[in-house]
Amino acid sequence: MSRTEPRAAGFIPVAPPTLADVVERAGVSRQTVSNAVNNPDLLRPDTLERVREAIDEMGYSPNRAARNLRTRSSQLIGLRVLPAQEGTANAMMDRFVHTLVDTSAEAGYHVLLFAGDNDDPVGGYDHLLRATAVDAFVVTDTYLGNPQAARLTEQRAPFVAFGRPWDQPQATHPWVDVDGAAGTRPATEHLIAKGHTRIAWIGWRKDSPIGEDRRAGWLSAMRDAGHATTGLASRVEDTVQSGAEAAAVLLDESAPTAFVCASDTLAMGVLHTLWIRQLAPGRDIAVVGFDDSQVAQVFPVGLTSVRQPLEDVAVAIVRALETLLGHLPPPAQGVLLTPTLAIRGSS
Amino acid sequence: MSRTEPRAAGFIPVAPPTLADVVERAGVSRQTVSNAVNNPDLLRPDTLERVREAIDEMGYSPNRAARNLRTRSSQLIGLRVLPAQEGTANAMMDRFVHTLVDTSAEAGYHVLLFAGDNDDPVGGYDHLLRATAVDAFVVTDTYLGNPQAARLTEQRAPFVAFGRPWDQPQATHPWVDVDGAAGTRPATEHLIAKGHTRIAWIGWRKDSPIGEDRRAGWLSAMRDAGHATTGLASRVEDTVQSGAEAAAVLLDESAPTAFVCASDTLAMGVLHTLWIRQLAPGRDIAVVGFDDSQVAQVFPVGLTSVRQPLEDVAVAIVRALETLLGHLPPPAQGVLLTPTLAIRGSS
DNA sequence: GCTGGCTCCTTGATCGTTCCAATCCACCAG
DNA sequence: CTGGTGGATTGGAACGATCAAGGAGCCAGC
């Protein structure tokens, strides 16, 4: 009832010109106007010119709903957003989303955000899919145990994951990921080159494959350099508090001169402990974080951090989506990108 | 050509059930199924039950494109995203977007992101509008001088602005904003209560109405307390570097014991200068930022910061959109919300 | 018994576009 | 002059839903 009464709301919607309007103005048929927009090659140059003029003069854009209905595609990519985390430094989704939007736009897609919560990982996907409201999904939260990937595969829904299917080696869906070990290894080597030998690791719980991946880079760099690692590794929750406590314990028991952390959040914890103990980051103790968050960038002396190539990730994801949706030849199954190291005052 | 060849891509899309399928199964007419979804009150309870069963069994969701075409509405809200800013602490859009997505979902809308750049402030809006790809816009970057608002009003496009129309007092569009002065005033009073009398202000250039608004809160609190302000205010660019330089100058020339800043980015600059001068934030010098960014939250001792009620802003915006789109009675023209103060170690 | 009004459900028309197959036209070889 | 050819253009049909009317069926009332 009330849904159909926009006039009551005080603003009068202006109906945009339709294809029929252009038809009348240009003096050609529907299909010709349609072709002028979608297959210009089919028209004779002078006809094309005439139609295009009419289109420009009237400011015509094809009605999305009508086009979507006919072509059975929405030119939309679904992205589920999780509740914002407070008290952490993980604002990297921001950077990712920006590039994703830009790149998708170039490929003719828009990004549709939908709500999701941790309790119901597959919620939202089904509905959008059955309503053909989106053409494909970008799945970003695969680290949670990843029921979405299996579910979406089962439903034959096109999607690309940001993150490897760690616990499902048989998975066949396309994915893009960042090589964590290839980030922490140069970070550790960077510290070794600065003369450090006792370099500690603060990472995540053992059941986090991403955490173990990042840890592996530290471990291999240390081993290759012939430095001991016993008593220098700690695995905790991803909070500032945990990082601070882990750093305190490590400093007391193993006297490291440098820390490599699985996240900027943990690194901030280390910096907190250094602050309390009157130790200067960069001079007394070196610290390296992971994610190159805004926190790392604006921290007084600057926090050296492993920077994920999120822009490249977004581009790779859109490429994969395009192949998946049939615009381009064969899809690559997995893409693994290498992070870089942003060196700042803390190391 | 290639657009219509999804089979070539290796995945076979499964066509979701349509209304016609449900019709067949439930043994009722199209309109009855439609009513079961949109106007359940019109059906007799037993009929409704039967139709609903069929819908559930088949997993039917109305095709979005078809519905959009017929109802001339997309149930989408457009939000333009700007290129991510590096080196600042302003990741507050994250929090805002999350709540916006959640609240919109409750109102039956999804959020569509589209790309935009600073050079072409109205780009993207026109196209989406004419294609009826979105029902309304949320305009967030009104501080840039705000040509969008005027343009959208002119085009009779429904939209709600996050931010007052500072430079267009005659504007009639609905908006939601946060009272900057009502944030910096208690922040300053908080410092005064702690015994500070020489409290400096570091804000933005004079041509930024938002900056002047926030400055006004500091100024009024200082005046009401009878404290001098001459030589205690500085106006600079919104970068860490500028904040650091301004703090250095102020410390040398006016010896303030506390700083109130127009942003967390500037506050981080102050902290940088304190670091260099071996001054302890919170003990030697108090610092208050603005935005309650993740940076403020994870900074070692914690940065006291004015927190914008972004969740409330998002909710208010969705409310305004609903009234605008005719679901509810008369729209409120402007809504002004009051920020809170997140007190941490730096003050 | 017929009418009027109510509830509940059904049928034709429509939204604006693209797909499909047919038609038109100019040109050329036989 | 006829028939074939291929490029350019056209009209009918369809995508899947909602809108706007148009029937059944039932009960009360004169």
Side-chain angles (χ1 to χ4, degrees):
Chain A
M1 292 297 270
S2 57
R3 298 188 54 196
T4 61
E5 290 288 45
R7 284 166 198 287
F11 86 93
I12 303 142
V14 220
T18 72
L19 189 143
D21 298 327
V22 179
V23 163
E24 194 168 1
R25 178 155 197 145
V28 291
S29 71
R30 282 196 318 268
Q31 190 59 38
T32 301
V33 177
S34 178
N35 284 337
V37 175
N38 301 309
N39 302 80
D41 298 345
L42 295 180
L43 299 198
R44 217 170 41 203
D46 60 324
T47 315
L48 180 59
E49 173 73 13
R50 189 155 43 100
V51 176
R52 281 199 167 145
E53 261 175 33
I55 288 176
D56 289 344
E57 283 168 18
M58 310 195 68
Y60 166 75
S61 294
N63 180 300
R64 270 309 235 276
R67 170 180 281 184
N68 295 349
L69 175 58
R70 186 68 248 233
T71 63
R72 300 161 168 285
S73 84
S74 62
Q75 301 299 107
L76 288 180
I77 292 169
L79 178 68
R80 177 157 162 258
V81 296
L82 296 171
Q85 290 185 332
E86 304 264 337
T88 69
N90 305 331
M92 53 160 239
M93 283 313 284
D94 222 47
R95 238 173 84 212
F96 173 67
V97 171
H98 281 285
T99 319
L100 186 67
V101 170
D102 285 346
T103 319
S104 309
E106 286 167 21
Y109 289 89
H110 286 296
V111 173
L112 176 129
L113 298 183
F114 63 102
D117 57 84
N118 291 323
D119 301 331
D120 178 20
V122 295
Y125 287 103
D126 283 25
H127 208 73
L128 288 169
L129 200 56
R130 290 193 314 238
T132 38
V134 301
D135 288 351
F137 292 101
V138 173
V139 178
T140 58
D141 44 4
T142 54
Y143 52 85
L144 291 174
N146 193 339
Q148 304 94 320
R151 178 62 174 272
L152 290 172
T153 303
E154 183 189 324
Q155 302 200 341
R156 310 188 132 304
F159 74 102
V160 177
F162 178 5
R164 276 162 279 185
W166 293 103
D167 40 3
Q168 291 144 327
Q170 77 284 7
T172 57
H173 65 262
W175 53 263
V176 179
D177 204 355
V178 175
D179 190 339
T184 47
R185 189 176 217 288
T188 310
E189 287 168 350
H190 158 71
L191 294 171
I192 292 170
K194 291 268 179 186
H196 294 276
T197 58
R198 296 194 61 72
I199 303 169
W201 167 258
I202 301 181
W204 297 329
R205 296 190 333 208
K206 202 161 190 170
D207 58 3
S208 159
I210 301 180
E212 292 304 286
D213 181 29
R214 293 181 183 179
R215 184 176 180 280
W218 163 79
L219 195 61
S220 72
M222 290 295 275
R223 286 197 175 143
D224 289 359
H227 298 322
T229 56
T230 39
L232 282 172
S234 185
R235 289 193 182 90
V236 297
E237 292 295 309
D238 189 37
T239 65
V240 175
Q241 179 69 17
S242 305
E245 289 166 4
V249 172
L250 284 165
L251 282 170
D252 290 341
E253 298 181 352
S254 312
T257 62
F259 288 88
V260 180
C261 305
S263 74
D264 281 352
T265 305
L266 290 173
M268 289 311 288
V270 175
L271 292 170
H272 190 63
T273 295
L274 296 187
W275 164 265
I276 290 170
R277 301 194 175 195
Q278 309 255 17
L279 293 167
R283 201 189 57 208
D284 302 328
I285 302 279
V287 183
V288 178
F290 203 112
D291 271 348
D292 196 31
S293 59
Q294 292 188 320
V295 178
Q297 296 173 18
V298 304
F299 180 77
V301 295
L303 170 63
T304 296
S305 191
V306 176
R307 182 181 173 90
Q308 300 200 51
L310 297 180
E311 292 79 10
D312 300 338
V313 171
V315 170
I317 285 179
V318 173
R319 295 270 170 286
L321 281 172
E322 284 185 287
T323 69
L324 206 56
L325 295 173
H327 296 214
L328 294 170
Q333 219 248 291
V335 177
L336 198 56
L337 300 172
T338 306
T340 55
L341 189 63
I343 298 173
R344 299 203 180 82
S346 71
S347 69
Chain B
M1 289 295 271
S2 58
R3 298 188 54 196
T4 62
E5 291 288 44
R7 284 166 196 285
F11 86 93
I12 303 144
V14 223
T18 72
L19 188 143
D21 298 327
V22 179
V23 162
E24 194 168 2
R25 178 153 197 147
V28 291
S29 72
R30 285 195 316 267
Q31 191 58 39
T32 300
V33 176
S34 177
N35 284 336
V37 175
N38 301 309
N39 301 81
D41 299 344
L42 295 180
L43 299 198
R44 215 171 42 204
D46 61 323
T47 315
L48 180 58
E49 173 73 12
R50 189 155 44 100
V51 176
R52 281 202 167 143
E53 262 174 32
I55 288 176
D56 289 344
E57 284 167 17
M58 310 195 70
Y60 166 74
S61 294
N63 180 301
R64 271 308 234 275
R67 171 180 281 185
N68 294 350
L69 175 58
R70 187 68 246 234
T71 62
R72 299 161 169 286
S73 85
S74 62
Q75 302 299 106
L76 288 179
I77 292 168
L79 178 68
R80 176 156 163 259
V81 296
L82 296 171
Q85 288 186 331
E86 304 264 336
T88 69
N90 305 332
M92 53 159 238
M93 283 313 284
D94 224 47
R95 240 173 83 211
F96 172 68
V97 171
H98 281 285
T99 318
L100 185 67
V101 170
D102 285 346
T103 318
S104 310
E106 286 167 21
Y109 288 88
H110 286 295
V111 173
L112 177 128
L113 297 183
F114 63 103
D117 57 85
N118 290 324
D119 300 332
D120 177 20
V122 293
Y125 287 104
D126 282 25
H127 209 73
L128 287 169
L129 200 57
R130 290 192 315 236
T132 38
V134 300
D135 288 350
F137 292 101
V138 173
V139 178
T140 59
D141 44 5
T142 53
Y143 51 86
L144 291 174
N146 191 338
Q148 303 94 320
R151 177 63 172 270
L152 290 171
T153 303
E154 181 190 325
Q155 301 199 343
R156 309 190 132 307
F159 75 101
V160 177
F162 179 4
R164 276 161 280 184
W166 293 103
D167 40 3
Q168 291 143 329
Q170 77 285 8
T172 57
H173 65 262
W175 53 262
V176 178
D177 204 354
V178 175
D179 190 338
T184 47
R185 191 175 215 287
T188 309
E189 288 168 349
H190 158 70
L191 294 171
I192 291 170
K194 292 266 177 188
H196 294 276
T197 58
R198 297 193 62 73
I199 303 169
W201 167 259
I202 301 181
W204 298 328
R205 295 187 334 205
K206 201 159 191 170
D207 58 2
S208 160
I210 300 180
E212 291 305 286
D213 181 29
R214 295 182 183 177
R215 184 176 180 281
W218 162 78
L219 195 62
S220 72
M222 290 295 277
R223 285 195 176 147
D224 289 0
H227 299 321
T229 56
T230 39
L232 283 171
S234 186
R235 290 194 181 88
V236 296
E237 292 296 308
D238 189 37
T239 65
V240 175
Q241 179 69 19
S242 305
E245 289 166 5
V249 172
L250 284 165
L251 282 171
D252 288 342
E253 298 183 353
S254 311
T257 61
F259 289 87
V260 180
C261 305
S263 75
D264 282 352
T265 305
L266 290 173
M268 289 310 288
V270 174
L271 293 171
H272 189 65
T273 295
L274 296 188
W275 165 265
I276 290 170
R277 302 195 174 193
Q278 309 255 17
L279 293 168
R283 202 189 57 211
D284 303 329
I285 302 278
V287 183
V288 178
F290 203 113
D291 271 350
D292 195 33
S293 60
Q294 292 189 321
V295 177
Q297 295 173 18
V298 304
F299 179 78
V301 294
L303 170 64
T304 297
S305 192
V306 175
R307 182 180 173 91
Q308 300 200 51
L310 298 179
E311 293 78 9
D312 299 336
V313 171
V315 170
I317 285 179
V318 173
R319 295 271 171 285
L321 282 172
E322 285 185 287
T323 67
L324 207 55
L325 295 172
H327 296 216
L328 293 170
Q333 218 248 293
V335 176
L336 198 56
L337 300 172
T338 306
T340 55
L341 188 63
I343 298 172
R344 299 203 180 82
S346 71
S347 70

